[in-house]
Amino acid sequence: MADRLFAWSMSTCAFLVVLSLLWVLGDVVTEGLPHISWTFLFSAPENAGRAGGIAPILVSTFWILLIALVVALPIGLSVAVWLSEFAPVNSRFANNTGIVLDILAGVPSIVYGLFGNAFFSIYLGMGFSLLSGGLTLACMILPIFVRTCESGLRAVNNDWRRGALSLGMTKSAAIWHIILPGARPALVAGLILGLGRATAETAALLYTSGYVDRMPGSLLDSGRALSVHIYDLSMNVTGGDTAAYASALVLVILIMTLSILAQGMVDRWFKRRLVVS
């Protein structure tokens, strides 16, 4: 009886999680799908976003995401590899680095926005720009990406490391061909979590990338991300709820598409590594 009650409780919790997701998605799809069209996707906003489309907003969002990922992924993966493979056991510096990363992962996004505005926008003279927004998002996703990748690397069986070294492989080759492919699920999870947080971020971008809804001409131009556009339509524009729902649906589809593409790219990359090795 106790086992059946426990299994029923776990199944109920899983059902509630799936139901909540379907509830949110159903609401967004029901309200936003009728407003989706090619004109909406490939035209500029008009009448404060009530009419027209979101083409400049999509371009700004892609540039901000690209900057954030190009900066955060190599740095984050390098830090994770150092913490799991090269840092001395019980190293005070490594332990303090982990504590700092945990604290940074819990810092509110508005604080990152204020930091990005003070450092990137004002101190470095980038102003309200896509570059400021992308670099601020890179700072945001670094902690969670590093900790997720580090946990995955530490979970790889030590027998793999000893086997690679016994075969004469250098430590760098063992990490490249054995350890990283072994930690693939954690790397994919860290990448998807970082993508999700960066794509849906609003508060930090209000202070860094700006509010302008025109097509950006360069990385130093201000641009409105999709999440900021949704916030503006729902909070500041009377009669903008329909366009806000449609933009939210596009954002959900964008996050799902990027997550699937990221997982596919990582899988293909690791398959090539395994073939080469």
Side-chain angles (χ1 to χ4, degrees), residues 159-198:
D159 290 340
W160 292 26
R161 296 176 174 85
R162 288 190 288 266
L165 295 177
S166 67
L167 292 174
M169 297 179 67
T170 62
K171 191 167 187 176
S172 59
I175 292 172
W176 187 251
H177 295 288
I178 305 298
I179 307 304
L180 286 178
R184 181 194 63 80
L187 302 185
V188 172
L191 179 57
I192 291 175
L193 288 173
L195 275 172
R197 184 170 187 186

mmCIF file of all heavy atoms in Angstrom, residues 159-198:
data_model
loop_
_atom_site.group_PDB
_atom_site.id
_atom_site.type_symbol
_atom_site.label_atom_id
_atom_site.label_comp_id
_atom_site.label_asym_id
_atom_site.label_seq_id
_atom_site.Cartn_x
_atom_site.Cartn_y
_atom_site.Cartn_z
ATOM 1 N N ASP A 159 37.272 5.724 -14.414
ATOM 2 C CA ASP A 159 37.911 4.651 -15.182
ATOM 3 C C ASP A 159 38.170 5.094 -16.618
ATOM 4 O O ASP A 159 39.131 4.640 -17.251
ATOM 5 C CB ASP A 159 37.029 3.396 -15.179
ATOM 6 C CG ASP A 159 36.989 2.728 -13.808
ATOM 7 O OD1 ASP A 159 37.903 2.997 -12.996
ATOM 8 O OD2 ASP A 159 36.055 1.946 -13.551
ATOM 9 N N TRP A 160 37.321 5.961 -17.155
ATOM 10 C CA TRP A 160 37.544 6.487 -18.507
ATOM 11 C C TRP A 160 38.826 7.302 -18.550
ATOM 12 O O TRP A 160 39.592 7.225 -19.514
ATOM 13 C CB TRP A 160 36.358 7.345 -18.931
ATOM 14 C CG TRP A 160 35.086 6.590 -19.147
ATOM 15 C CD1 TRP A 160 34.723 5.395 -18.569
ATOM 16 C CD2 TRP A 160 34.002 6.969 -19.991
ATOM 17 N NE1 TRP A 160 33.484 5.017 -18.991
ATOM 18 C CE2 TRP A 160 33.010 5.956 -19.867
ATOM 19 C CE3 TRP A 160 33.762 8.039 -20.820
ATOM 20 C CZ2 TRP A 160 31.808 6.013 -20.552
ATOM 21 C CZ3 TRP A 160 32.554 8.106 -21.510
ATOM 22 C CH2 TRP A 160 31.598 7.099 -21.384
ATOM 23 N N ARG A 161 39.048 8.103 -17.522
ATOM 24 C CA ARG A 161 40.265 8.924 -17.478
ATOM 25 C C ARG A 161 41.501 8.038 -17.354
ATOM 26 O O ARG A 161 42.484 8.226 -18.081
ATOM 27 C CB ARG A 161 40.198 9.893 -16.298
ATOM 28 C CG ARG A 161 39.077 10.928 -16.391
ATOM 29 C CD ARG A 161 39.017 11.780 -15.126
ATOM 30 N NE ARG A 161 38.058 12.862 -15.232
ATOM 31 C CZ ARG A 161 36.758 12.735 -14.971
ATOM 32 N NH1 ARG A 161 36.266 11.557 -14.587
ATOM 33 N NH2 ARG A 161 35.948 13.777 -15.092
ATOM 34 N N ARG A 162 41.449 7.080 -16.444
ATOM 35 C CA ARG A 162 42.602 6.204 -16.255
ATOM 36 C C ARG A 162 42.854 5.349 -17.494
ATOM 37 O O ARG A 162 44.015 5.113 -17.873
ATOM 38 C CB ARG A 162 42.369 5.313 -15.028
ATOM 39 C CG ARG A 162 42.451 6.072 -13.706
ATOM 40 C CD ARG A 162 42.460 5.112 -12.541
ATOM 41 N NE ARG A 162 41.158 4.500 -12.333
ATOM 42 C CZ ARG A 162 40.228 4.963 -11.499
ATOM 43 N NH1 ARG A 162 40.480 6.053 -10.795
ATOM 44 N NH2 ARG A 162 39.079 4.348 -11.353
ATOM 45 N N GLY A 163 41.769 4.897 -18.143
ATOM 46 C CA GLY A 163 41.948 4.105 -19.355
ATOM 47 C C GLY A 163 42.593 4.909 -20.471
ATOM 48 O O GLY A 163 43.467 4.403 -21.191
ATOM 49 N N ALA A 164 42.193 6.162 -20.623
ATOM 50 C CA ALA A 164 42.778 7.007 -21.665
ATOM 51 C C ALA A 164 44.250 7.269 -21.395
ATOM 52 O O ALA A 164 45.094 7.201 -22.303
ATOM 53 C CB ALA A 164 42.009 8.329 -21.745
ATOM 54 N N LEU A 165 44.588 7.551 -20.132
ATOM 55 C CA LEU A 165 45.993 7.810 -19.802
ATOM 56 C C LEU A 165 46.843 6.547 -19.941
ATOM 57 O O LEU A 165 48.013 6.613 -20.347
ATOM 58 C CB LEU A 165 46.097 8.357 -18.370
ATOM 59 C CG LEU A 165 45.436 9.726 -18.135
ATOM 60 C CD1 LEU A 165 45.535 10.122 -16.672
ATOM 61 C CD2 LEU A 165 46.079 10.791 -19.012
ATOM 62 N N SER A 166 46.267 5.383 -19.619
ATOM 63 C CA SER A 166 47.019 4.131 -19.755
ATOM 64 C C SER A 166 47.309 3.796 -21.215
ATOM 65 O O SER A 166 48.269 3.072 -21.515
ATOM 66 C CB SER A 166 46.249 2.985 -19.095
ATOM 67 O OG SER A 166 45.062 2.718 -19.802
ATOM 68 N N LEU A 167 46.503 4.327 -22.121
ATOM 69 C CA LEU A 167 46.725 4.103 -23.552
ATOM 70 C C LEU A 167 47.700 5.111 -24.148
ATOM 71 O O LEU A 167 47.968 5.085 -25.351
ATOM 72 C CB LEU A 167 45.395 4.181 -24.304
ATOM 73 C CG LEU A 167 44.396 3.049 -24.013
ATOM 74 C CD1 LEU A 167 43.079 3.315 -24.708
ATOM 75 C CD2 LEU A 167 44.976 1.704 -24.454
ATOM 76 N N GLY A 168 48.229 5.979 -23.322
ATOM 77 C CA GLY A 168 49.224 6.941 -23.790
ATOM 78 C C GLY A 168 48.646 8.263 -24.262
ATOM 79 O O GLY A 168 49.383 9.088 -24.816
ATOM 80 N N MET A 169 47.380 8.502 -24.063
ATOM 81 C CA MET A 169 46.782 9.765 -24.471
ATOM 82 C C MET A 169 47.196 10.877 -23.506
ATOM 83 O O MET A 169 47.327 10.657 -22.308
ATOM 84 C CB MET A 169 45.255 9.656 -24.500
ATOM 85 C CG MET A 169 44.710 8.653 -25.493
ATOM 86 S SD MET A 169 42.888 8.557 -25.453
ATOM 87 C CE MET A 169 42.461 10.183 -26.093
ATOM 88 N N THR A 170 47.423 12.042 -24.046
ATOM 89 C CA THR A 170 47.678 13.189 -23.185
ATOM 90 C C THR A 170 46.386 13.587 -22.478
ATOM 91 O O THR A 170 45.294 13.189 -22.882
ATOM 92 C CB THR A 170 48.203 14.380 -23.997
ATOM 93 O OG1 THR A 170 47.196 14.773 -24.950
ATOM 94 C CG2 THR A 170 49.484 14.004 -24.741
ATOM 95 N N LYS A 171 46.526 14.381 -21.421
ATOM 96 C CA LYS A 171 45.339 14.781 -20.676
ATOM 97 C C LYS A 171 44.402 15.616 -21.540
ATOM 98 O O LYS A 171 43.178 15.462 -21.474
ATOM 99 C CB LYS A 171 45.754 15.565 -19.427
ATOM 100 C CG LYS A 171 44.602 15.789 -18.455
ATOM 101 C CD LYS A 171 45.097 16.272 -17.111
ATOM 102 C CE LYS A 171 43.955 16.318 -16.109
ATOM 103 N NZ LYS A 171 44.417 16.695 -14.755
ATOM 104 N N SER A 172 44.974 16.499 -22.358
ATOM 105 C CA SER A 172 44.137 17.327 -23.224
ATOM 106 C C SER A 172 43.399 16.475 -24.254
ATOM 107 O O SER A 172 42.223 16.701 -24.542
ATOM 108 C CB SER A 172 44.990 18.387 -23.928
ATOM 109 O OG SER A 172 46.007 17.774 -24.711
ATOM 110 N N ALA A 173 44.075 15.468 -24.810
ATOM 111 C CA ALA A 173 43.420 14.579 -25.775
ATOM 112 C C ALA A 173 42.329 13.749 -25.108
ATOM 113 O O ALA A 173 41.263 13.519 -25.692
ATOM 114 C CB ALA A 173 44.450 13.667 -26.427
ATOM 115 N N ALA A 174 42.583 13.306 -23.871
ATOM 116 C CA ALA A 174 41.567 12.535 -23.153
ATOM 117 C C ALA A 174 40.330 13.380 -22.888
ATOM 118 O O ALA A 174 39.196 12.909 -23.035
ATOM 119 C CB ALA A 174 42.144 12.018 -21.834
ATOM 120 N N ILE A 175 40.545 14.628 -22.511
ATOM 121 C CA ILE A 175 39.408 15.515 -22.276
ATOM 122 C C ILE A 175 38.645 15.749 -23.570
ATOM 123 O O ILE A 175 37.413 15.689 -23.609
ATOM 124 C CB ILE A 175 39.892 16.853 -21.682
ATOM 125 C CG1 ILE A 175 40.437 16.626 -20.276
ATOM 126 C CG2 ILE A 175 38.772 17.885 -21.664
ATOM 127 C CD1 ILE A 175 41.106 17.846 -19.681
ATOM 128 N N TRP A 176 39.370 16.001 -24.652
ATOM 129 C CA TRP A 176 38.747 16.343 -25.928
ATOM 130 C C TRP A 176 37.976 15.180 -26.527
ATOM 131 O O TRP A 176 36.876 15.354 -27.061
ATOM 132 C CB TRP A 176 39.838 16.819 -26.879
ATOM 133 C CG TRP A 176 39.352 17.362 -28.186
ATOM 134 C CD1 TRP A 176 39.465 16.776 -29.408
ATOM 135 C CD2 TRP A 176 38.691 18.611 -28.412
ATOM 136 N NE1 TRP A 176 38.924 17.568 -30.381
ATOM 137 C CE2 TRP A 176 38.441 18.707 -29.796
ATOM 138 C CE3 TRP A 176 38.293 19.652 -27.584
ATOM 139 C CZ2 TRP A 176 37.798 19.807 -30.368
ATOM 140 C CZ3 TRP A 176 37.654 20.750 -28.148
ATOM 141 C CH2 TRP A 176 37.417 20.820 -29.526
ATOM 142 N N HIS A 177 38.561 13.970 -26.463
ATOM 143 C CA HIS A 177 37.971 12.825 -27.157
ATOM 144 C C HIS A 177 37.163 11.895 -26.252
ATOM 145 O O HIS A 177 36.341 11.116 -26.753
ATOM 146 C CB HIS A 177 39.073 12.000 -27.830
ATOM 147 C CG HIS A 177 39.794 12.724 -28.921
ATOM 148 N ND1 HIS A 177 39.222 13.004 -30.134
ATOM 149 C CD2 HIS A 177 41.055 13.249 -28.972
ATOM 150 C CE1 HIS A 177 40.087 13.656 -30.899
ATOM 151 N NE2 HIS A 177 41.204 13.821 -30.218
ATOM 152 N N ILE A 178 37.393 11.933 -24.931
ATOM 153 C CA ILE A 178 36.738 10.983 -24.043
ATOM 154 C C ILE A 178 35.803 11.670 -23.045
ATOM 155 O O ILE A 178 34.625 11.339 -22.946
ATOM 156 C CB ILE A 178 37.792 10.150 -23.266
ATOM 157 C CG1 ILE A 178 38.759 9.459 -24.236
ATOM 158 C CG2 ILE A 178 37.091 9.138 -22.375
ATOM 159 C CD1 ILE A 178 38.110 8.462 -25.167
ATOM 160 N N ILE A 179 36.341 12.638 -22.300
ATOM 161 C CA ILE A 179 35.593 13.211 -21.187
ATOM 162 C C ILE A 179 34.432 14.075 -21.691
ATOM 163 O O ILE A 179 33.296 13.945 -21.217
ATOM 164 C CB ILE A 179 36.514 14.038 -20.274
ATOM 165 C CG1 ILE A 179 37.728 13.203 -19.850
ATOM 166 C CG2 ILE A 179 35.750 14.523 -19.053
ATOM 167 C CD1 ILE A 179 37.374 11.918 -19.170
ATOM 168 N N LEU A 180 34.716 14.970 -22.635
ATOM 169 C CA LEU A 180 33.649 15.843 -23.132
ATOM 170 C C LEU A 180 32.502 15.059 -23.789
ATOM 171 O O LEU A 180 31.331 15.332 -23.513
ATOM 172 C CB LEU A 180 34.224 16.873 -24.102
ATOM 173 C CG LEU A 180 35.040 18.012 -23.467
ATOM 174 C CD1 LEU A 180 35.595 18.933 -24.539
ATOM 175 C CD2 LEU A 180 34.188 18.800 -22.486
ATOM 176 N N PRO A 181 32.802 14.073 -24.661
ATOM 177 C CA PRO A 181 31.675 13.272 -25.186
ATOM 178 C C PRO A 181 30.922 12.527 -24.090
ATOM 179 O O PRO A 181 29.705 12.360 -24.175
ATOM 180 C CB PRO A 181 32.359 12.295 -26.148
ATOM 181 C CG PRO A 181 33.599 13.012 -26.581
ATOM 182 C CD PRO A 181 34.059 13.761 -25.378
ATOM 183 N N GLY A 182 31.622 12.102 -23.039
ATOM 184 C CA GLY A 182 30.950 11.412 -21.940
ATOM 185 C C GLY A 182 30.017 12.309 -21.165
ATOM 186 O O GLY A 182 29.041 11.844 -20.571
ATOM 187 N N ALA A 183 30.327 13.599 -21.155
ATOM 188 C CA ALA A 183 29.500 14.567 -20.422
ATOM 189 C C ALA A 183 28.488 15.258 -21.330
ATOM 190 O O ALA A 183 27.940 16.292 -20.946
ATOM 191 C CB ALA A 183 30.399 15.597 -19.749
ATOM 192 N N ARG A 184 28.234 14.719 -22.507
ATOM 193 C CA ARG A 184 27.369 15.370 -23.479
ATOM 194 C C ARG A 184 25.996 15.741 -22.925
ATOM 195 O O ARG A 184 25.520 16.864 -23.144
ATOM 196 C CB ARG A 184 27.206 14.476 -24.707
ATOM 197 C CG ARG A 184 26.334 15.084 -25.806
ATOM 198 C CD ARG A 184 25.939 14.043 -26.831
ATOM 199 N NE ARG A 184 25.135 12.994 -26.249
ATOM 200 C CZ ARG A 184 23.829 13.099 -25.996
ATOM 201 N NH1 ARG A 184 23.200 14.214 -26.287
ATOM 202 N NH2 ARG A 184 23.165 12.106 -25.452
ATOM 203 N N PRO A 185 25.305 14.861 -22.185
ATOM 204 C CA PRO A 185 23.966 15.266 -21.694
ATOM 205 C C PRO A 185 24.001 16.528 -20.836
ATOM 206 O O PRO A 185 23.122 17.389 -20.957
ATOM 207 C CB PRO A 185 23.511 14.046 -20.884
ATOM 208 C CG PRO A 185 24.268 12.897 -21.474
ATOM 209 C CD PRO A 185 25.605 13.465 -21.847
ATOM 210 N N ALA A 186 25.006 16.643 -19.979
ATOM 211 C CA ALA A 186 25.095 17.827 -19.129
ATOM 212 C C ALA A 186 25.447 19.064 -19.943
ATOM 213 O O ALA A 186 24.930 20.158 -19.671
ATOM 214 C CB ALA A 186 26.141 17.610 -18.037
ATOM 215 N N LEU A 187 26.301 18.920 -20.932
ATOM 216 C CA LEU A 187 26.655 20.058 -21.779
ATOM 217 C C LEU A 187 25.433 20.550 -22.549
ATOM 218 O O LEU A 187 25.218 21.762 -22.682
ATOM 219 C CB LEU A 187 27.775 19.671 -22.744
ATOM 220 C CG LEU A 187 29.083 19.166 -22.121
ATOM 221 C CD1 LEU A 187 30.130 18.938 -23.207
ATOM 222 C CD2 LEU A 187 29.599 20.142 -21.084
ATOM 223 N N VAL A 188 24.649 19.620 -23.064
ATOM 224 C CA VAL A 188 23.427 19.999 -23.779
ATOM 225 C C VAL A 188 22.450 20.692 -22.832
ATOM 226 O O VAL A 188 21.841 21.714 -23.175
ATOM 227 C CB VAL A 188 22.777 18.761 -24.416
ATOM 228 C CG1 VAL A 188 21.411 19.105 -24.995
ATOM 229 C CG2 VAL A 188 23.672 18.205 -25.518
ATOM 230 N N ALA A 189 22.315 20.145 -21.620
ATOM 231 C CA ALA A 189 21.403 20.748 -20.645
ATOM 232 C C ALA A 189 21.844 22.165 -20.291
ATOM 233 O O ALA A 189 21.017 23.086 -20.211
ATOM 234 C CB ALA A 189 21.344 19.883 -19.384
ATOM 235 N N GLY A 190 23.154 22.355 -20.076
ATOM 236 C CA GLY A 190 23.653 23.693 -19.766
ATOM 237 C C GLY A 190 23.427 24.665 -20.903
ATOM 238 O O GLY A 190 23.056 25.830 -20.679
ATOM 239 N N LEU A 191 23.627 24.200 -22.129
ATOM 240 C CA LEU A 191 23.418 25.058 -23.295
ATOM 241 C C LEU A 191 21.945 25.448 -23.430
ATOM 242 O O LEU A 191 21.623 26.618 -23.682
ATOM 243 C CB LEU A 191 23.894 24.336 -24.553
ATOM 244 C CG LEU A 191 23.723 25.073 -25.887
ATOM 245 C CD1 LEU A 191 24.433 26.419 -25.857
ATOM 246 C CD2 LEU A 191 24.240 24.219 -27.033
ATOM 247 N N ILE A 192 21.045 24.488 -23.245
ATOM 248 C CA ILE A 192 19.613 24.772 -23.378
ATOM 249 C C ILE A 192 19.143 25.710 -22.260
ATOM 250 O O ILE A 192 18.351 26.639 -22.496
ATOM 251 C CB ILE A 192 18.815 23.458 -23.368
ATOM 252 C CG1 ILE A 192 19.105 22.673 -24.659
ATOM 253 C CG2 ILE A 192 17.331 23.722 -23.245
ATOM 254 C CD1 ILE A 192 18.463 21.311 -24.702
ATOM 255 N N LEU A 193 19.625 25.492 -21.031
ATOM 256 C CA LEU A 193 19.260 26.383 -19.933
ATOM 257 C C LEU A 193 19.750 27.808 -20.196
ATOM 258 O O LEU A 193 19.035 28.788 -19.948
ATOM 259 C CB LEU A 193 19.850 25.866 -18.617
ATOM 260 C CG LEU A 193 19.196 24.612 -18.031
ATOM 261 C CD1 LEU A 193 19.985 24.121 -16.829
ATOM 262 C CD2 LEU A 193 17.759 24.898 -17.624
ATOM 263 N N GLY A 194 20.984 27.912 -20.703
ATOM 264 C CA GLY A 194 21.508 29.236 -21.025
ATOM 265 C C GLY A 194 20.727 29.903 -22.140
ATOM 266 O O GLY A 194 20.418 31.103 -22.076
ATOM 267 N N LEU A 195 20.375 29.129 -23.173
ATOM 268 C CA LEU A 195 19.576 29.678 -24.269
ATOM 269 C C LEU A 195 18.212 30.158 -23.785
ATOM 270 O O LEU A 195 17.751 31.247 -24.151
ATOM 271 C CB LEU A 195 19.384 28.610 -25.354
ATOM 272 C CG LEU A 195 20.473 28.466 -26.401
ATOM 273 C CD1 LEU A 195 20.208 27.241 -27.264
ATOM 274 C CD2 LEU A 195 20.569 29.708 -27.264
ATOM 275 N N GLY A 196 17.584 29.339 -22.946
ATOM 276 C CA GLY A 196 16.271 29.711 -22.450
ATOM 277 C C GLY A 196 16.297 30.983 -21.625
ATOM 278 O O GLY A 196 15.453 31.873 -21.799
ATOM 279 N N ARG A 197 17.283 31.091 -20.743
ATOM 280 C CA ARG A 197 17.347 32.294 -19.908
ATOM 281 C C ARG A 197 17.693 33.520 -20.731
ATOM 282 O O ARG A 197 17.122 34.594 -20.535
ATOM 283 C CB ARG A 197 18.374 32.108 -18.795
ATOM 284 C CG ARG A 197 18.407 33.301 -17.845
ATOM 285 C CD ARG A 197 19.221 33.077 -16.612
ATOM 286 N NE ARG A 197 19.052 34.207 -15.690
ATOM 287 C CZ ARG A 197 19.729 34.355 -14.567
ATOM 288 N NH1 ARG A 197 20.617 33.438 -14.212
ATOM 289 N NH2 ARG A 197 19.518 35.399 -13.789
ATOM 290 N N ALA A 198 18.617 33.373 -21.670
ATOM 291 C CA ALA A 198 19.013 34.528 -22.480
ATOM 292 C C ALA A 198 17.883 34.980 -23.391
ATOM 293 O O ALA A 198 17.644 36.189 -23.559
ATOM 294 C CB ALA A 198 20.252 34.175 -23.305
#
